[in-house]
Amino acid sequence: MKNWKKMLVLGTTLAVTTGIFAACGESSASEATSSEPTKVTLWAGGSDNVKLGMQKIVEAFNKSSDGKEYKLNLQFITSGTGTQSLSDRIVAAKKANQKKTDYDLILVSDAEYSAYVQEGGADIFEKYDQDKIPNLKNVQTKISAGEGVLVPYRGTTVVLAYDSAKVKTPPTTAEALYQWIKDHPGKFAYNTPGSGGAGGSFVQTAIYNFLPEEAMNSSDEKWKSQWEKGFDLLADLNDSMYQSGGKVVYPNKNQGTLDLLVNGEVDMIPAWADMLITNLANGTLPDTVKMTQLNPGFTGNVDTLAIPSIGSNKKGAEAVMNFMLTKEAQQILLDSMAAIPVIDSSNLSSDNSKYLKDLKIDSFRTASIGNLGTELNEEWDQKIGTLTK
C-alpha cells in the first residue's frame, strides 16, 4: 500500500513537472513565433516600371528597422493582360463579406477613389491612424479625394512624347495637336483606353475639354449627355491614326504605343511621364525623344496608398505607408521609375532629375470621375474601336 502511494506521488510529481516544462516549452515557442515578422501584402497594378519600383521598395522596407516587425510582400497585376483588375477583386471580396484577407495595402490613384467607394461602399477603406504615420508632415502634395484614407506617395502625369528629329515644332495646345494629327496621317498613336492610362488620358482629355472644369472631378451621370462632341472629335481623328496593313490600329497597353515610337513607326504619342523618363534613362528610347505639356494638359493623378477594410494587418500597412514617405523610399521611386516626389525634393538628386525639371507640376490636371471612367472606355470600344473593323 505504501509503495502504491509512493508511486502515485511520484507519478503526480512527474506529471506536474512535465507539464511545467511543456508549458515553458510552449511559451518559448510562442515567443519565438511572435518574434517573427508578420506578413504585410501590398497589391499593385500597372506597367512594368511600376512593378520594378515596387519591387525595390519591398526590398528596402524589409531591410529597414520596420522589416524586423513586418515582412512586406508584393502582388502585382500587369495592366492590359485581361486578368481581373485590382479594383474588381477588392470590390468583389468586400461584397462577399470576406474578412482578414491578404489585401492589406493597395496602390490606388486619387482619381480611382470615388469609383471604389461607389462600388464597394464608404467603408471599403480603413481610415489611417495619423500618429502611426509621422512622415505625413513632410508631404507637400494635395490629393483630390480620400482625405484621411489615401496617403500620396508619388505624382505623375501624361505628356506628349515626340521624336525631335522628325518634329521640330511640337504642338503646344490640344487644338494644335489635333490639327497636327490630321496633317500627318499615320504618325500618331494612342493605346486603347481600357488597356492603359496614357490612352485613357488622351480620350478623357479630348472629351472633357468640351465640358466645364468641374466635370473632371465628378461622377455625376449627367455629364454623359455631354460626351458627344468629344466622341465626334475622336471619330474625326480616327482615319489619321497609325495604320498597319492598311487598317487603323490602336495599340494595346501603354507599352504598345511606346514601342511604335521606339521603332520609328510613329512620331508622336501620349505617354506617362515616369514611363517615358525611365525608358530614356535606360537607353530604350533614342535621345531624340522629347516630351512637352499641352495647354490644357492631359490628365494625370497623384498615386496613393490605401488600406482595404478587408485586410488583416493595418499596423503593418501603416508602417509601409510611413516608410514610403521617407527620403530613402522617395529616392528609390525617383531613381527607378522617375516618380515625382511628394516630399521636399531639394535633398533628392537623380539622373532622372534632368528630365523632370521641365515639367510644370502646377499645371498638372487631375481627374476623378468614378465609374464614369469605365463607362467612357466602354463607349469608346463601341463608338471608336469598331471603326477599325
Side-chain angles (χ1 to χ4, degrees), residues 159-167 170 180 186-191 198 242 249 251-273 275-277 279-280 283-292:
V159 295
L160 187 65
Y162 65 98
D163 188 340
S164 62
K166 300 175 182 177
V167 182
W180 187 96
K187 294 301 181 181
F188 185 89
Y190 68 90
N191 60 280
Y242 166 74
V249 174
N252 184 47
K253 302 174 61 176
N254 301 322
Q255 188 63 47
T257 50
L258 206 59
D259 289 341
L260 293 179
L261 188 62
V262 171
N263 298 331
E265 295 182 67
V266 297
D267 298 340
M268 195 180 294
I269 63 169
W272 285 108
M275 190 173 183
L276 186 66
I277 293 170
N279 281 272
L280 283 168
T284 305
L285 280 171
D287 58 11
T288 55
V289 171
K290 308 293 182 185
M291 64 180 171
T292 188

Side-chain angles (χ1 to χ4, degrees), residues 222-385:
K222 69 179 182 181
W223 300 117
K224 290 178 62 177
S225 64
Q226 299 185 44
W227 286 355
E228 187 175 353
K229 286 185 178 180
F231 276 112
D232 286 345
L233 168 64
L234 293 170
D236 186 43
L237 294 174
N238 179 74
D239 290 344
S240 299
M241 291 294 159
Y242 166 74
Q243 295 191 14
S244 179
K247 293 179 61 177
V248 169
V249 174
Y250 291 95
N252 184 47
K253 302 174 61 176
N254 301 322
Q255 188 63 47
T257 50
L258 206 59
D259 289 341
L260 293 179
L261 188 62
V262 171
N263 298 331
E265 295 182 67
V266 297
D267 298 340
M268 195 180 294
I269 63 169
W272 285 108
D274 52 348
M275 190 173 183
L276 186 66
I277 293 170
T278 299
N279 281 272
L280 283 168
N282 63 26
T284 305
L285 280 171
D287 58 11
T288 55
V289 171
K290 308 293 182 185
M291 64 180 171
T292 188
Q293 290 172 279
L294 298 179
N295 182 28
F298 293 125
T299 54
N301 50 254
V302 176
D303 278 348
T304 72
L305 296 151
I307 305 172
S309 56
I310 60 173
S312 56
N313 196 343
K314 182 184 178 185
K315 289 183 178 179
E318 289 169 333
V320 177
M321 285 176 157
N322 192 57
F323 177 78
M324 199 76 87
L325 301 178
T326 62
K327 179 182 174 182
E328 179 186 1
Q330 292 288 294
Q331 184 71 59
I332 289 171
L333 295 172
L334 177 58
D335 288 336
S336 64
M337 53 190 290
I340 298 167
V342 298
I343 66 172
D344 182 4
S345 60
S346 61
N347 293 322
L348 301 177
S349 62
S350 169
D351 290 341
N352 289 332
S353 298
K354 63 183 179 183
Y355 301 110
L356 291 171
K357 64 181 177 61
D358 294 328
L359 289 182
K360 297 177 181 177
I361 297 176
D362 58 356
S363 66
F364 281 13
R365 294 172 83 192
T366 59
S368 182
I369 61 174
N371 282 341
L372 288 181
T374 302
E375 294 181 40
L376 187 149
N377 291 346
E378 291 172 350
E379 194 158 330
W380 184 93
D381 290 340
Q382 296 167 7
K383 291 185 174 182
I384 309 301

Side-chain angles (χ1 to χ4, degrees), residues 90-310:
I90 297 290
V91 170
K94 173 70 165 49
K95 288 182 176 180
N97 202 32
Q98 293 184 25
K99 306 289 185 182
K100 300 297 181 182
T101 69
D102 67 348
Y103 292 105
D104 299 316
L105 186 65
I106 67 169
L107 299 190
V108 54
S109 72
D110 57 351
E112 297 171 318
Y113 174 74
S114 59
Y116 270 98
V117 172
Q118 204 172 343
E119 284 292 306
D123 62 343
I124 193 167
F125 295 123
E126 294 266 6
K127 286 193 172 184
Y128 58 75
D129 184 347
Q130 192 164 341
D131 292 338
K132 302 294 184 184
I133 313 174
N135 288 328
L136 276 170
K137 67 180 184 295
N138 301 323
V139 174
Q140 299 183 336
T141 302
K142 301 288 185 182
I143 54 175
S144 62
E147 192 70 35
V149 172
L150 305 181
V151 170
Y153 75 93
R154 72 174 176 120
T156 187
T157 191
V158 173
V159 295
L160 187 65
Y162 65 98
D163 188 340
S164 62
K166 300 175 182 177
V167 182
K168 301 302 181 183
T169 307
T172 57
T173 67
E175 291 78 7
L177 170 61
Y178 303 144
Q179 189 59 52
W180 187 96
I181 292 171
K182 291 181 179 180
D183 293 341
H184 301 83
K187 294 301 181 181
F188 185 89
Y190 68 90
N191 60 280
T192 54
S195 69
S201 177
F202 179 86
V203 169
Q204 187 169 312
T205 300
I207 291 171
Y208 275 74
N209 278 349
F210 288 102
L211 276 62
E213 195 66 27
E214 64 178 291
M216 278 280 196
N217 290 289
S218 171
S219 59
D220 195 320
E221 291 278 330
K222 69 179 182 181
W223 300 117
K224 290 178 62 177
S225 64
Q226 299 185 44
W227 286 355
E228 187 175 353
K229 286 185 178 180
F231 276 112
D232 286 345
L233 168 64
L234 293 170
D236 186 43
L237 294 174
N238 179 74
D239 290 344
S240 299
M241 291 294 159
Y242 166 74
Q243 295 191 14
S244 179
K247 293 179 61 177
V248 169
V249 174
Y250 291 95
N252 184 47
K253 302 174 61 176
N254 301 322
Q255 188 63 47
T257 50
L258 206 59
D259 289 341
L260 293 179
L261 188 62
V262 171
N263 298 331
E265 295 182 67
V266 297
D267 298 340
M268 195 180 294
I269 63 169
W272 285 108
D274 52 348
M275 190 173 183
L276 186 66
I277 293 170
T278 299
N279 281 272
L280 283 168
N282 63 26
T284 305
L285 280 171
D287 58 11
T288 55
V289 171
K290 308 293 182 185
M291 64 180 171
T292 188
Q293 290 172 279
L294 298 179
N295 182 28
F298 293 125
T299 54
N301 50 254
V302 176
D303 278 348
T304 72
L305 296 151
I307 305 172
S309 56
I310 60 173

